Amino acid sequence: MGCTPRAVALLGSTGSIGRSTLEVIAASQGRLRAVGLTAHSQLELLEEQARQFKPQWIVATDEPKARRYAWRKLPPGVELHFGLEAVNRLVSEPSVDIVVAALVGSVGLYSTWAALEAGKPVALANKETLVMAGPWVTELAKRRNAPILPVDSEHSAVFQALQAGRRHELRRILLTASGGPFRTWSIAQMSEATVAQTLNHPTWNMGRKITVDSATLMNKALELIEARWLFDLSPDQIEVVIHPQSIVHALVEFIDGSVIAQLSPPDMRLPIQYALSYPERWECPAAKLDFGQLHELTFQAPDFDRFPALALGYEVARRGGTAGAVLNAANEAAVAAFLEGRIKLTDIPAICRSVLDAHVFDANPTIETLVRLDAWARQEVTKWMEC
Ligand code: MG
């Protein structure tokens, strides 16, 4: 190649998106290099990744656990750091060209903020960041001239399809949803769904939190809020369509009625790579479509009665302000409670509804207010479970 590799700081390297990102880096023929890896508590895997990719820095964010851990020999030149502050320093390092934000949950906001503040392009896989603080994060990105490149497959698809026309020619976007494992289940059946049934997603292989979100369609609710801020759309320009095959990831309709879709097998390595190779396209290790095997692509409108999370998504996208941070935190806490067997699956949107209703709305909050409400909403979920 002869060109300098793009230096990648990968936040959340041991999670599902993090591991796929390392596969993309390994297959990039030297065009990408991992210079920093961060992980929360899977320290053995982090150590193994450090030996394979030889980054300059690794950061373990669960500091007490990392200090107790018996670190084996790291390759020469690999510096080991602890704590979230070290992640903020890593993303600001002059030698970092792009940051992949693949942390799960609201904790992802801080490091994405620090990366944008440092003027770094961010390949954003953490949708909670835009759900919580979309207007402020996108304003910061603009001010620091630091692009946010979507990694979420639907948003990557929109980003790709938008290139077929000009911004003022756009009519609307359509985000597809597989419908999850309970696409055809009744509300009564869903209220009895077990954790194992919920984690058994029909098309995508993802982390636990997002897999539960896919079963309630909260994932799509969060994605439409994410799309609203990322692409600066009004909520009525965003539609959700159920597409069980997960081949068409999103569609963009222009004012003349032309609809441009992006198709590929459900494999996150493609959107991850596009965020890292943009504006170029490279050979990709992801599976390719075989049109001989592709029997049908079906689309249907979502059922708002069986999946009330979707309506919450539209409501929060319309309200803006503090609503996103509250919905996001309430959902995170409720999903954790469901995974611990403490509540039913159908309690998740009900809890989110009641926490949203109980919160004191602020249309123009500071980041501190958002962070405070994030903690407040989690406590409200605990209270809900106690009564
Ligand atoms: Mg997605």
Side-chain angles (χ1 to χ4, degrees), residues 127 152-155 210 219-220 223 268:
K127 65 190 65 165
D152 215 340
S153 58
E154 296 78 0
H155 303 73
I210 186 174
N219 185 49
K220 218 44 59 177
E223 286 179 356
M268 285 309 294

Side-chain angles (χ1 to χ4, degrees), residues 149-169:
L149 298 143
V151 168
D152 215 340
S153 58
E154 296 78 0
H155 303 73
S156 175
V158 170
F159 182 57
Q160 294 180 56
L162 279 176
Q163 293 166 38
R166 287 177 293 183
R167 190 61 179 75
H168 67 272
E169 296 161 346

Side-chain angles (χ1 to χ4, degrees), residues 150-271:
V151 168
D152 215 340
S153 58
E154 296 78 0
H155 303 73
S156 175
V158 170
F159 182 57
Q160 294 180 56
L162 279 176
Q163 293 166 38
R166 287 177 293 183
R167 190 61 179 75
H168 67 272
E169 296 161 346
L170 172 69
R171 175 176 290 147
R172 59 175 180 154
I173 67 168
L174 297 101
L175 304 176
T176 59
S178 70
F182 309 133
R183 180 171 54 89
T184 58
W185 288 33
S186 68
I187 296 174
Q189 286 173 311
M190 276 190 275
S191 73
E192 299 304 323
T194 64
V195 170
Q197 286 169 325
T198 305
L199 292 178
N200 186 23
H201 196 277
T203 51
W204 286 98
N205 182 7
M206 309 175 286
R208 286 157 63 90
K209 194 261 177 185
I210 186 174
T211 304
V212 177
D213 286 345
S214 296
T216 57
L217 292 202
M218 185 63 83
N219 185 49
K220 218 44 59 177
L222 300 178
E223 286 179 356
L224 75 89
I225 302 167
E226 181 187 8
R228 185 234 188 288
W229 302 119
L230 186 61
F231 302 112
D232 192 18
L233 301 167
S234 86
D236 40 306
Q237 281 181 295
I238 306 169
E239 248 175 72
V240 171
V241 59
I242 302 295
H243 168 53
Q245 297 83 13
S246 298
I247 297 294
V248 177
H249 301 296
L251 311 98
V252 166
E253 184 182 324
F254 292 96
I255 46 176
D256 59 359
S258 262
V259 177
I260 309 291
Q262 189 265 338
L263 288 72
S264 54
D267 185 327
M268 285 309 294
R269 289 174 296 182
L270 174 53

